[in-house]
Amino acid sequence: MNPWSEFWQQGHPTTFGEYFKEGYQGPIKDWFAKQFASNPRSEILLELACGNGALIPMCLDLGLSLQYQGIDLAAVAIPDAVQVRLDQAENIQATILGGTSIEALPFNDGSFSMACSVFGIEYSNIEKSIPEMSRVLQKDGVYLGVVHHIDSIVSQMSARAVNEYNMREVRDFLDQLQIIAHQAKVAGDLRVLSRNPKAEKARKKVNQYAEKYLSNTDLSTANASMFEFVTRGLQFFKVLGQGPQVASRFIKRVYEETLATRERHMQMCSVAMPQEGIDRFVEILSDAGFGSAEVSILSDDKSIIGWALCAHKIT
């Protein structure tokens, strides 16, 4: 499964997941509000790599009048809470299309007056996706985007997360759980499992990992990635009573989730742009028919958030 499909299917509203539930508020929302204000006409808006419709709540908050179309390569859907707000709104119509590549948009030329992306388009092949975005924009159409910055807090956290994962210990931890699940099957009765030498040895090894990674709760020094992994893995003992097969499926699921989370962090690191990267991005915009792009660095009082770009299609 696409690592982002699993992520979005958990209902996350933004790329940041649980770490920044309101991640698209503050400077990001303020910047988009300013850009939308300079384009007050009714818009037909395309959000590229939209996730679960990142811009929809923002547009609702700002009271915009528009037709919204989101597309993403992953399996995505408008969250129920957002859909309730849409059903009550009169000025926004919104649909999302998953399993759709930005490099080959299924829309006619000039279908949209605005294209937006919040930490999204940079995950695509921009040599192809930017010209394709230009194709579906009307003349005088607008591109608004926030792109990962190599020195942003998100990039720093993602790099830290990738380095924190100890995959050898991840696999060993899950192997110990699998031993316990197998011995539970052999014993046929969880009440006698504590007298099983193999199961007890595995349990003690699991406890060692729990002590290693859960004893430090200081966010500045703890291994947050392994903390999260071990915490999730320990739920195994709650599902063990449902039978060894359920427990084994749980172990497999935890491993898949861990690989997917690590892959997402690796992708965030790989697409984050230094100055030369954003210069190349602007060059491709120009080649695709956009005029001089306005580029700035979005930040709050503490850290960089990302690159912000605004460009108008002139041809």
Side-chain angles (χ1 to χ4, degrees), residues 198-211:
K198 292 183 179 179
E200 273 299 285
K201 182 180 179 180
R203 185 187 63 80
K204 289 180 180 178
K205 190 66 178 293
V206 168
N207 286 342
Q208 289 174 3
Y209 283 124
E211 175 65 23

Side-chain angles (χ1 to χ4, degrees), residues 79-132:
D80 291 342
V82 177
Q83 187 60 56
V84 169
R85 293 187 63 189
L86 282 170
D87 293 341
Q88 297 172 348
E90 297 180 355
N91 298 327
I92 296 181
Q93 298 178 346
T95 57
I96 283 182
L97 183 62
T100 305
S101 170
I102 305 176
E103 294 91 337
L105 295 170
F107 307 115
N108 294 329
D109 296 359
S111 296
F112 301 92
S113 58
M114 179 177 288
C116 299
S117 177
V118 189
F119 303 119
I121 194 172
E122 63 268 41
Y123 289 91
S124 69
N125 180 344
I126 59 174
E127 301 276 355
K128 296 180 179 180
S129 58
I130 290 178
E132 187 68 349

Side-chain angles (χ1 to χ4, degrees), residues 17 19 21 29 37 61-62 83 118 122 125 143 151 159 167 174-175 188 199 204 213 226 236 246 253 301 311:
Y19 295 101
K21 291 184 179 180
K29 183 177 180 180
D61 291 345
L62 297 173
Q83 187 60 56
V118 189
E122 63 268 41
N125 180 344
Y143 163 67
D151 294 323
M167 296 309 296
L174 296 177
D175 284 345
K204 289 180 180 178
Y213 290 114
M226 292 300 290
F236 162 85
V246 174
R253 179 64 175 164
D301 295 336

Side-chain angles (χ1 to χ4, degrees), residues 199-263:
E200 273 299 285
K201 182 180 179 180
R203 185 187 63 80
K204 289 180 180 178
K205 190 66 178 293
V206 168
N207 286 342
Q208 289 174 3
Y209 283 124
E211 175 65 23
K212 179 178 181 178
Y213 290 114
L214 303 187
S215 59
N216 184 358
T217 57
D218 186 337
L219 293 178
S220 63
T221 59
N223 185 324
S225 298
M226 292 300 290
F227 184 103
E228 184 176 9
F229 162 73
V230 172
T231 300
R232 173 78 169 108
L234 288 175
Q235 295 179 28
F236 162 85
F237 293 101
K238 293 183 178 181
V239 304
L240 183 59
Q242 300 176 37
Q245 290 184 338
V246 174
S248 292
R249 286 196 297 270
F250 173 83
I251 293 168
K252 182 175 183 292
R253 179 64 175 164
V254 170
Y255 186 58
E256 291 173 346
E257 289 175 353
T258 302
L259 291 179
T261 301
R262 183 170 179 266
E263 174 62 24

Side-chain angles (χ1 to χ4, degrees), residues 5 18 32 34 36 40-41 53-54 85 92 99 108 123 127 132 289 295 307:
S5 292
E18 293 299 310
F32 269 100
K34 180 180 179 181
F36 287 139
R41 66 188 185 281
R85 293 187 63 189
I92 296 181
N108 294 329
Y123 289 91
E127 301 276 355
E132 187 68 349
V295 181
W307 297 101

Side-chain angles (χ1 to χ4, degrees), residues 29 31-45 55-68 85-86 89-94 114 116 144:
K29 183 177 180 180
W31 182 81
F32 269 100
K34 180 180 179 181
Q35 303 304 322
F36 287 139
S38 66
N39 295 275
R41 66 188 185 281
S42 179
E43 299 288 357
I44 307 174
L45 185 152
L55 278 179
I56 297 176
M58 189 185 304
C59 293
L60 287 165
D61 291 345
L62 297 173
L64 301 182
S65 176
L66 54 82
Q67 297 178 47
Y68 168 98
R85 293 187 63 189
L86 282 170
E90 297 180 355
N91 298 327
I92 296 181
Q93 298 178 346
M114 179 177 288
C116 299
L144 302 176

